[in-house]
Amino acid sequence: MPMMLDSDLKSMPKIELHAHLSGSISRRCLHEIWRGKKAAGKTDLEDPLVVMPLEEPVVDINSFFPLFSSYIYRLVDDVESLHYSTSSVIEDFANDGVVYLELRTTPRSFPKGGLDRKGYVDAVLTAIDEAQQKYPSIQVRLILSIDRRNTLDEANEVVALATHFSSRGVVAVDLCGDPAKGDVSLFTPAFEAAKAQGLKITIHFAEAACSASETELQTILGWKPDRLGHVIHVPEHIRKQIAAVRPGIGLELCLSCNVQLKMITGDFDAHHFGEWWRVDGPVVVPCTDDVGVFDSPVSNEWKLIQRYFHLERDDVLSLARKGVDVIFGGDAQKTRLREIMW
Ligand SMILES: [Zn+2]
């Protein structure tokens, strides 16, 4: 049985379910935004090509999160750059053969630009609408993220925004951010409210050893999440619990991110994708997390999977198709994807 060529993996219709908007902005796009602002005297930041050189990948989770707070969020700080970068991200995914994309973002406010969090989500959705017209091969839905450093009031605001904008393509609420921060039990009422509003839930789960205590993992599983992201530091009994109690749950696995940031021990062949992809029940979906940082588009994630776990052509196609079951875009999107991907 033949393996798929790189060009086949790129042209294969793909779905991407775990992509952070800010982390998916390419260096080229950041550089263009920077160049425009620099020329207009609107930024003192250094050139992103100097701050994040491609030849020196981010290799440390301790420098990864500050990259956003100290650089990307400061560069993309007005409606114009938010719109431009959102459109560029969607164009990049479309060019990589992604036909269905769920982007996620933490609502921010831009005090200088007079934009509050609601205005931020509105601006992202407007950019998504326009990009979908421009790149008709891709359909995009939005997930709003609660940051682990948020207060309960802030988390409730995210749920309220997700509910408000659900008719415009917001489909779910996520919990993300620095795994060293926060006590997740604080957010239980917010995720219960999200469920009650008919929103889906996806959670960054056991991303680091510090966010993988029995209490934290059981608290999160108690929210009945529809999908989990990363799923790294998971003890055997919880692995069994996930497979038994939440059959059909989606697992968003991000190989390049986990290996480059040394979130797992070892190389790609040691990644827990190898344990999960054959397990009955959970649906494994290879995702990029932050393609702008890790420079590995989803077609390359499939290439890595094929190379390190020896999937054959039929394995790749059937795994890619299974992912359709765990999208949050509803039955119409599932039907559309089944027409494209089968
Ligand atoms: Zn993530």
Side-chain angles (χ1 to χ4, degrees), residues 13 15 46 136 157 172 240 257 322:
I15 63 175
E46 252 198 288
E157 190 192 348
K240 285 187 179 145
C257 157
K322 255 171 86 179

Side-chain angles (χ1 to χ4, degrees), residues 320-334:
R321 289 164 180 164
K322 255 171 86 179
V324 174
D325 293 342
V326 295
I327 68 163
F328 292 157
D331 290 340
Q333 280 304 323
K334 288 182 182 176

Side-chain angles (χ1 to χ4, degrees), residues 37 48 101 145 149 181 188 235 305:
K37 290 198 168 190
L101 167 67
S145 297
R149 290 167 303 180
K181 304 279 172 13
T188 296
I305 282 166

Side-chain angles (χ1 to χ4, degrees), residues 18 20 104 176 204 207 230 289-290:
H18 190 131
H20 297 267
R104 61 186 72 192
C176 72
H204 282 67
E207 203 177 353
H230 292 292
D289 210 11
D290 297 287

Side-chain angles (χ1 to χ4, degrees), residues 4-56:
M4 288 176 83
L5 301 172
D6 294 357
S7 55
D8 293 339
L9 290 170
K10 188 158 179 179
S11 61
M12 176 175 87
K14 293 175 289 295
I15 63 175
E16 161 67 78
L17 303 182
H18 190 131
H20 297 267
L21 173 59
S22 300
S24 298
I25 308 170
S26 69
R27 286 164 169 83
R28 173 191 49 75
C29 176
L30 289 172
H31 174 74
E32 284 163 8
I33 292 169
W34 174 83
R35 205 174 47 191
K37 290 198 168 190
K38 191 79 182 167
K42 284 182 177 172
T43 188
D44 294 328
L45 290 167
E46 252 198 288
D47 186 340
L49 298 179
V50 174
V51 178
M52 308 161 56
L54 254 184
E55 54 280 9
E56 286 173 46

Side-chain angles (χ1 to χ4, degrees), residues 85-100:
S85 55
T86 303
S87 181
S88 168
V89 163
I90 293 169
E91 178 184 6
D92 289 346
F93 277 110
N95 287 340
D96 191 42
V98 173
V99 292
Y100 177 81

